[in-house]
Amino acid sequence: MVTLAEVAQHAGVSASTVSYVLSGKRSISAGTRQRVEQSIRELGYHPNAGARALAGKRSNIIALMIPLRTDLYVPVMMEIAIAVATTARTHGYDVLLLTGEEGPDAVRRVTGSGLADAMILMDVELEDERLPLLRGTDQPSVLIGLPADTGGLTCVDLDWSATGALCGEHLAGLGHRDIAVIGEAPAVYERHTGFAERTLDGLRSAARETGVRLLHRPCEGGYDAMALTLARVFDERPGTTGFVVQNESAVEPLLALLRQQGRAVPEDVSVVAICPDQVAVQASVRLTSVAIPAQEMGRRAVERLVAKLDGRGGDEVVLLAPELTRRASSGPAPAAD
Amino acid sequence: MVTLAEVAQHAGVSASTVSYVLSGKRSISAGTRQRVEQSIRELGYHPNAGARALAGKRSNIIALMIPLRTDLYVPVMMEIAIAVATTARTHGYDVLLLTGEEGPDAVRRVTGSGLADAMILMDVELEDERLPLLRGTDQPSVLIGLPADTGGLTCVDLDWSATGALCGEHLAGLGHRDIAVIGEAPAVYERHTGFAERTLDGLRSAARETGVRLLHRPCEGGYDAMALTLARVFDERPGTTGFVVQNESAVEPLLALLRQQGRAVPEDVSVVAICPDQVAVQASVRLTSVAIPAQEMGRRAVERLVAKLDGRGGDEVVLLAPELTRRASSGPAPAAD
DNA sequence: ATGAAAGCGCTAACAA
DNA sequence: TTGTTAGCGCTTTCAT
């Protein structure tokens, strides 16, 4: 293993000079810098992370807490995680992967041990038990998702309420008067993850303003569950012509079932999905959708965090504006009989 | 920040005693242990990770390199990553998340800096450029996936060849004589990821032994691409009655298209999928499938790695035996006309 | 512009 | 069974 001292000796300078060449924290003559950099390359020197963390009081590591469950938005979670990792590297940080399993203990362990300089929490619930710990520490953190009380916290999330409103307005604008909302599994609502409720709020207020009727039904996803849900919807509201789907694993089953029932999309029924673009494009009908900007969320979270670590900027709630892309699944409501 | 020295003082012992209480590397009298543990709790002490790594020469961190692409088996990747993280914690390790972006450089950086004690590589290609580096270092590593040459390496993977054979034998056993294989996107084959080719090898040898005809077609996935592929298959082999699908995003489109063409599953056509169980169960027809044991792969990889770190066990290739679950999508071949 | 030296908090000989 | 002490490799004052 090559040490800084060896590099120093090889370059004929002192250890501190090598350190400063590396950190750029004081000016170095061109010649010295050259020789040091040369030695570093020749010897294949890599600074020891532990020693750095100990002496420098920062590990250059960001902890990322991902949810343990794999029932919800897995590709989105993955995309966020990847975006976090790549963006973090861009700023000189590595990413430590924590699962929700340890729960609040993980927060204590990481803050206490100096393993990470800061953390990003995903899958935040409205009354998340990790929040008191975060508020009680001086370690910077960013949440992806919005808890009920955002006081003293930095959060990044899609503006779900605006997303719901956007979907509602789109369908209302096309003349639909009866809209069904196919939501996530009931467990998601029970968990109080926030985004589901917020989307619904947005939809409701849009419905109110446009005079549209809304029927909300959580759905486990999968073909059978969707079949049941769909039957109930048409039973209760036979005049339904618009669907908003916020459940990846219900999208394709819904389309298949509508087809099977002889309801054409978008001639008879319009469908708007809230899902990753990839899903919207690969579906059997190209779906009008609001995308979940996973990459953007990961990137923004890291950027906020780095800003905090650099002493720039404080707490802030960043809500990303939703964008609706019109594709083949939505059109004018059919003329009433 | 609480240090070991403070704990020692509080408990009225020396620093080394505290250290040994923590590591268990020498016997401590019950009374002393009590007092030390008490002090640790009272003061809320957490050992400093950097100092530990520096003095102890191990960081207790495992690096996990995940693929940057999100085109392939995303939920599987995520499940593996989560299994790695939770299993690692079980053994006292944390996980550092590296993306493929840095490529071989990441390996150098991590090995060189002592950031991680060992690494796990996912998405290994047949001629992976990271392999020479791994062979040239004394840092333990485990690959998830099989390169062309496994000499001097430890690998964990599903036995894809046996998987292919299992699918082929299942359909052959049901009397199918013409089988079509819907594979991953062409890009996957071009990338030489190994698993795709190996599956095909297994299928081919099963076909040879059972006298079945095989037609292999890569497919981009999605509805449109699948429609095209399917048309070509029936064009070329009108008597096709069996399908093996190794492409998550082709599964549901295939089922929808068959339905649309009036081909009943499994009465007219049988379908066997190679995919996560969740996909098989949620499909519009419950699919006979070989599951991809993501959790098991992650867990086994960590266990092999920890064994190596503890000086137990050396290089080894662990191939997990595939298991085929019969569901509703496969049945006897229809009687020939 | 550069060097010398004092730690950072912990582990692991070496002593007792 | 416990204490003393010398580092681990780096950063950062304080000097020059």
Side-chain angles (χ1 to χ4, degrees):
Chain A
M1 198 211 155
V2 188
T3 69
L4 183 148
E6 295 174 303
V7 174
Q9 187 167 19
H10 186 256
V13 298
S14 72
S16 59
T17 298
V18 177
S19 177
Y20 283 120
V21 166
L22 253 27
S23 69
K25 288 188 180 171
R26 82 180 182 192
S27 46
I28 304 284
S29 72
T32 307
R33 153 166 290 121
Q34 294 277 314
R35 274 179 302 129
V36 170
E37 284 169 348
Q38 175 70 9
S39 300
I40 288 178
R41 251 174 284 117
E42 278 184 31
L43 302 180
Y45 168 72
H46 284 273
N48 179 284
R52 267 206 162 157
L54 180 56
K57 300 189 177 324
R58 27 178 41 258
S59 63
N60 282 293
I61 289 179
I62 290 173
L64 173 68
M65 235 172 130
I66 63 171
L68 194 58
R69 306 177 208 89
T70 63
D71 61 339
L72 190 61
Y73 283 113
V74 180
V76 175
M77 297 292 178
M78 186 82 174
E79 214 178 322
I80 293 178
I82 290 177
V84 165
T86 58
T87 310
R89 282 304 306 146
T90 273
H91 293 274
Y93 288 89
D94 272 293
V95 170
L96 198 76
L97 187 69
L98 304 176
T99 65
E101 197 178 41
E102 275 184 287
D105 287 349
V107 177
R108 274 190 212 95
R109 196 167 59 81
V110 167
T111 10
S113 66
L115 229 189
D117 299 329
M119 56 193 312
I120 295 177
L121 305 197
M122 293 173 65
D123 196 35
V124 178
E125 301 183 6
L126 286 175
E127 303 293 344
D128 204 293
E129 33 172 10
R130 299 166 296 190
L131 301 186
L133 282 170
L134 291 181
R135 290 202 173 91
T137 185
D138 54 343
Q139 191 170 55
S141 59
V142 171
L143 313 186
I144 296 184
L146 246 56
D149 173 13
T150 61
L153 299 172
T154 298
C155 311
V156 172
D157 203 355
L158 174 61
D159 189 336
W160 293 101
S161 167
T163 299
L166 195 54
C167 294
E169 287 156 10
H170 175 70
L171 287 175
L174 288 168
H176 298 272
R177 316 312 303 163
D178 254 311
I179 295 177
V181 181
I182 309 299
E184 297 286 354
V188 173
Y189 291 88
E190 281 152 23
R191 207 186 290 151
H192 297 296
T193 314
F195 77 93
E197 282 92 336
R198 289 201 180 85
T199 309
L200 217 48
D201 289 345
L203 275 159
R204 290 205 179 106
S205 73
R208 213 176 304 121
E209 285 181 19
T210 55
V212 158
R213 288 214 304 170
L214 220 57
L215 183 68
H216 170 239
R217 287 290 171 267
C219 179
E220 283 293 346
Y223 198 82
D224 297 340
M226 189 62 239
L228 211 67
T229 304
L230 190 60
R232 294 223 188 103
V233 166
F234 280 123
D235 194 44
E236 193 164 341
R237 301 270 172 92
T240 301
T241 60
F243 283 86
V244 176
V245 193
Q246 182 173 214
N247 182 334
E248 259 181 67
S249 56
V251 165
E252 198 56 47
L254 173 63
L255 294 174
L257 287 160
L258 289 172
R259 208 177 296 128
Q260 199 174 301
Q261 299 180 358
R263 301 181 199 259
V265 174
E267 291 77 7
D268 303 324
V269 168
S270 285
V271 176
V272 177
I274 301 170
C275 68
D277 266 336
Q278 208 197 355
V279 173
V281 171
Q282 285 212 343
S284 53
V285 179
R286 291 169 50 85
L287 295 168
T288 294
S289 72
V290 174
I292 299 170
Q295 295 212 18
E296 174 91 3
M297 286 164 70
R299 201 172 52 71
R300 295 286 281 265
V302 172
E303 282 165 0
R304 298 301 311 141
L305 202 52
V306 171
K308 280 180 144 187
L309 283 165
D310 292 350
R312 297 179 282 117
D315 299 330
E316 187 185 348
V317 173
V318 179
L319 288 186
L320 304 180
E323 287 179 29
L324 185 144
T325 305
R326 291 175 191 233
R327 297 202 182 83
S329 68
S330 66
D337 301 319
Chain B
M1 199 212 154
V2 189
T3 69
L4 183 148
E6 295 174 305
V7 174
Q9 188 167 20
H10 181 105
V13 297
S14 73
S16 61
T17 297
V18 177
S19 176
Y20 284 119
V21 166
L22 254 28
S23 69
K25 287 189 181 170
R26 80 181 183 191
S27 47
I28 304 283
S29 73
T32 307
R33 152 164 291 119
Q34 294 277 314
R35 274 180 301 130
V36 170
E37 283 169 349
Q38 175 70 10
S39 300
I40 288 178
R41 250 174 285 119
E42 277 184 32
L43 302 181
Y45 168 72
H46 285 273
N48 179 283
R52 265 205 163 157
L54 181 56
K57 300 191 175 326
R58 22 176 46 258
S59 63
N60 282 294
I61 289 178
I62 290 172
L64 174 69
M65 237 174 126
I66 63 171
L68 194 58
R69 305 178 207 89
T70 64
D71 60 339
L72 191 60
Y73 283 114
V74 180
V76 175
M77 298 292 180
M78 186 81 175
E79 213 178 321
I80 293 178
I82 290 176
V84 165
T86 58
T87 310
R89 281 305 305 144
T90 272
H91 293 274
Y93 288 89
D94 271 293
V95 170
L96 197 77
L97 187 69
L98 304 176
T99 65
E101 197 179 42
E102 275 185 286
D105 286 349
V107 176
R108 275 192 211 93
R109 196 167 58 82
V110 167
T111 33
S113 66
L115 228 189
D117 299 329
M119 56 194 310
I120 294 177
L121 306 197
M122 292 172 67
D123 197 34
V124 177
E125 301 183 7
L126 286 175
E127 304 291 344
D128 204 292
E129 36 173 8
R130 299 165 297 188
L131 301 186
L133 281 171
L134 292 181
R135 290 203 173 90
T137 184
D138 55 343
Q139 191 169 56
S141 59
V142 171
L143 313 186
I144 295 184
L146 247 57
D149 172 14
T150 61
L153 298 172
T154 298
C155 311
V156 173
D157 203 356
L158 173 61
D159 189 336
W160 292 101
S161 168
T163 299
L166 195 56
C167 294
E169 286 156 12
H170 176 70
L171 289 174
L174 288 168
H176 297 272
R177 316 313 301 163
D178 254 311
I179 296 177
V181 182
I182 308 300
E184 297 286 352
V188 173
Y189 291 88
E190 282 152 23
R191 207 187 289 151
H192 297 296
T193 314
F195 78 92
E197 282 92 335
R198 288 200 180 87
T199 308
L200 217 48
D201 289 344
L203 275 160
R204 289 206 179 105
S205 71
R208 215 176 302 119
E209 286 181 18
T210 55
V212 158
R213 288 214 303 170
L214 221 58
L215 183 68
H216 171 240
R217 287 289 172 269
C219 179
E220 283 292 345
Y223 198 82
D224 297 341
M226 187 65 239
L228 212 67
T229 305
L230 189 60
R232 293 222 187 105
V233 166
F234 280 123
D235 194 44
E236 193 165 340
R237 300 272 171 90
T240 300
T241 60
F243 282 85
V244 175
V245 192
Q246 182 172 213
N247 183 333
E248 259 181 68
S249 56
V251 165
E252 198 57 46
L254 173 62
L255 294 174
L257 287 160
L258 289 173
R259 207 177 297 129
Q260 198 174 302
Q261 299 180 358
R263 301 182 200 257
V265 173
E267 291 78 7
D268 303 325
V269 169
S270 286
V271 176
V272 177
I274 301 170
C275 67
D277 266 336
Q278 208 197 355
V279 173
V281 172
Q282 286 211 343
S284 53
V285 179
R286 290 169 50 84
L287 294 169
T288 294
S289 72
V290 174
I292 298 169
Q295 295 213 18
E296 174 91 3
M297 286 163 72
R299 201 172 51 72
R300 295 286 282 266
V302 172
E303 282 165 359
R304 297 301 311 142
L305 202 52
V306 171
K308 280 179 143 186
L309 283 165
D310 292 351
R312 297 178 282 118
D315 300 329
E316 188 185 347
V317 173
V318 179
L319 288 186
L320 304 179
E323 286 179 30
L324 185 143
T325 305
R326 292 176 189 231
R327 297 200 183 82
S329 69
S330 66
D337 301 320

